[in-house]
Amino acid sequence: MKKIFSIAIDGPAGAGKSTVARAAAGALGAMYLDTGAMYRTVGLYFLRENLLEDREEIARRADGLNVSVQFEGGVQRMLLGGEDVTEAIRTPEASMAASAVGAVPEVRAYLVRLQQETARGISIVMDGRDIGTKVLPDATLKIYLTATAEVRALRRYAELREKGERPPFHEVLDDIVERDYNDMHRAASPLTRAADARLLDTSNLTLKESVDEVVRLAREVIGG
Ligand code: DC
């Protein structure tokens, strides 16, 4: 029987974690879980309720949230109270909301539990900010994926242009810098590199080179 493994990929916004993690999971025959999408879903809920400024109410409601993950042909879909919000969470407002609710410990406790339940008994690649440090502390392989803020902003800028949006570049960069600051300076599970995580700087790597490196590191530890 093939050994079950788990791969934790953490790093700042725009480092290419989800694209790399999804492709690596495909190559390794594992499930891919995008945990940022879960924070975005919770963020969207509080954005709609107009409660983003009210940390106490966010904390109070965290445990009763109705967030679930479904996989349709291996593709992750996010449900909020039964509504499919997979597309609705991909807006700049939802990213900022995700960053805000991710600072609330009760939200993290709720989502970490959901993430650990999803990972149980299967081979999985998970990406986020605290996967190697909190969610899967015993992961088979931990990777800290990063790139300079400028390179990350350029990549996001290109993505937005492709979607027909034309934001000024400095806004995209400011957004990245602000989210880095929030994610690294919050009291609850700030973004840090786990002591045993391998550092992968993708500033000068193509997407394919990044994926190949993750797959190579994974094969090294899981064999095969
Ligand atoms: O990876 P992303 O851009 O979809 O993440 C959205 C926000 O969610 C990001 O600002 C930080 C937060 N997040 C987190 O705190 N912990 C995670 N495991 C994943 C995301």
Side-chain angles (χ1 to χ4, degrees):
M1 203 177 82
K2 224 177 144 194
K3 196 178 120 207
I4 287 176
F5 61 87
S6 55
I7 300 179
I9 303 186
D10 291 299
K17 294 186 302 289
S18 51
T19 318
V20 169
R22 184 179 298 110
L28 295 162
M31 180 85 103
Y32 163 58
L33 183 69
D34 169 1
T35 64
M38 300 165 92
Y39 286 88
R40 285 166 181 269
T41 302
V42 174
L44 181 69
Y45 168 79
F46 286 107
L47 180 69
R48 286 175 172 177
E49 295 284 308
N50 206 11
L51 282 172
L52 279 178
E53 307 291 319
D54 190 344
R55 278 180 76 117
E56 279 181 19
E57 189 57 22
I58 295 177
R60 250 193 305 275
R61 292 195 191 186
D63 216 35
L65 290 169
N66 185 359
V67 170
S68 56
V69 185
Q70 266 183 9
F71 292 94
E72 275 175 23
V75 177
Q76 178 175 336
R77 303 216 62 98
M78 290 308 310
L79 302 184
L80 174 60
E83 176 194 350
D84 189 326
V85 293
T86 312
E87 276 82 39
I89 57 174
R90 298 292 155 193
T91 64
E93 292 74 26
S95 339
M96 278 300 167
S99 190
V101 299
V104 180
E106 287 80 357
V107 168
R108 302 204 72 83
Y110 168 73
L111 289 182
V112 167
R113 202 169 351 106
L114 200 56
Q115 288 153 12
Q116 289 172 336
E117 279 164 14
T118 309
R120 197 158 301 143
I122 57 170
S123 288
I124 198 160
V125 180
M126 224 189 261
D127 79 324
R129 305 294 187 286
D130 59 343
I131 310 304
T133 52
K134 287 267 156 39
V135 183
L136 302 173
D138 300 321
T140 322
L141 172 68
K142 299 181 186 178
I143 294 175
Y144 190 83
L145 197 81
T146 190
T148 65
E150 287 72 20
V151 167
R152 290 183 281 128
L154 273 171
R155 289 178 186 161
R156 181 111 326 157
Y157 182 70
E159 265 171 33
L160 291 169
R161 299 272 298 201
E162 212 147 275
K163 283 200 227 161
E165 293 170 37
R166 297 187 168 264
F169 177 72
H170 71 88
E171 271 180 23
V172 180
L173 180 59
D174 288 352
D175 195 73
I176 293 260
V177 170
E178 185 184 337
R179 279 220 283 157
D180 280 0
Y181 187 88
N182 290 345
D183 294 345
M184 290 174 187
H185 290 85
R186 65 179 177 225
S189 307
L191 169 63
T192 47
R193 176 180 164 196
D196 51 351
R198 308 281 294 257
L199 179 70
L200 182 56
D201 185 330
T202 69
S203 301
N204 297 309
L205 299 183
T206 63
L207 177 62
K208 182 174 182 308
E209 288 168 339
S210 308
V211 174
D212 287 351
E213 182 58 9
V214 171
V215 171
R216 191 187 66 76
L217 290 170
R219 295 218 162 107
E220 220 173 77
V221 290
I222 58 184

